[in-house]
Amino acid sequence: MIAPIISPILVIVLFVLGCLHLLWAFGSTFPCANEQALARAVVGRRGITRMPSALSCMVVAFCLFAAAILAAMLGGYVTLPLPSLVQKGLLSLAGLIAGLVFLGRGVIGILPAFERSAPEMPFLTLNRRVYSPLSFLVGLGFILLVLSLPNWSLRLWGV
């Protein structure tokens, strides 16, 4: 019931974020004027002047694209050629892990220790207003998708 709504939203959000990271991997400074401004806006470590390596940005982009595919699978838009029980078990586990990772980033991002480690502006403000809340909502979306899997019951585990 909620999967057809949440899944496409997560796919779009994660795909767009993956594309942004891919742009940054290829040297783009969008949406900022230069690399230092971009690094201060998206990384925020004290005294940062350069973006992380292209490989780092590509790895994050790959993870975001994989999460988008997982969201599509949890929504029933993409399927694996596996037996139903195995597929549902793998999707449940992967969805819970993705949900916990994003929820964790959302919660950790507002802790004082995290804010002390990344005090640069505008990152600090963007993290409070956009990055952490968005991460938390994406994590919540994954948890809701896992809970809304079709025929979710104890029969999944053979009980």
Side-chain angles (χ1 to χ4, degrees), residues 54-152:
L55 179 61
S56 297
C57 291
M58 282 188 197
V59 167
V60 173
F62 173 80
C63 291
L64 289 167
F65 290 139
I69 293 169
L70 178 60
M73 293 170 73
L74 285 166
Y77 295 103
V78 178
T79 58
L80 292 173
L82 296 171
S84 178
L85 184 63
V86 173
Q87 181 174 339
K88 207 175 288 184
L90 288 175
L91 283 178
S92 300
L93 181 62
L96 286 174
I97 290 171
L100 291 175
V101 166
F102 282 104
L103 283 172
R105 167 57 181 93
V107 170
I108 289 171
I110 60 169
L111 295 177
F114 183 88
E115 291 185 348
R116 282 192 301 273
S117 72
E120 292 289 339
M121 289 297 198
F123 175 82
L124 193 57
T125 303
L126 289 169
N127 183 55
R128 287 177 184 160
R129 293 183 182 166
V130 180
Y131 306 152
S132 287
L134 182 61
S135 294
F136 188 83
L137 289 173
V138 168
L140 189 60
F142 271 109
I143 300 298
L144 289 174
L145 283 176
V146 169
L147 293 176
S148 70
L149 280 173
N151 304 319
W152 183 255

Side-chain angles (χ1 to χ4, degrees), residues 21 24-28 35 38-40 42-45 48-58 60:
H21 282 78
W24 298 335
F26 290 117
S28 173
E35 184 179 15
L38 180 65
R40 290 174 59 121
V42 299
V43 180
R45 285 192 308 264
I48 192 162
T49 58
R50 300 192 50 151
M51 282 293 288
S53 70
L55 179 61
S56 297
C57 291
M58 282 188 197
V60 173

Side-chain angles (χ1 to χ4, degrees), residues 22-41:
L22 206 53
L23 280 174
W24 298 335
F26 290 117
S28 173
T29 59
F30 176 81
C32 296
N34 56 47
E35 184 179 15
Q36 182 177 2
L38 180 65
R40 290 174 59 121

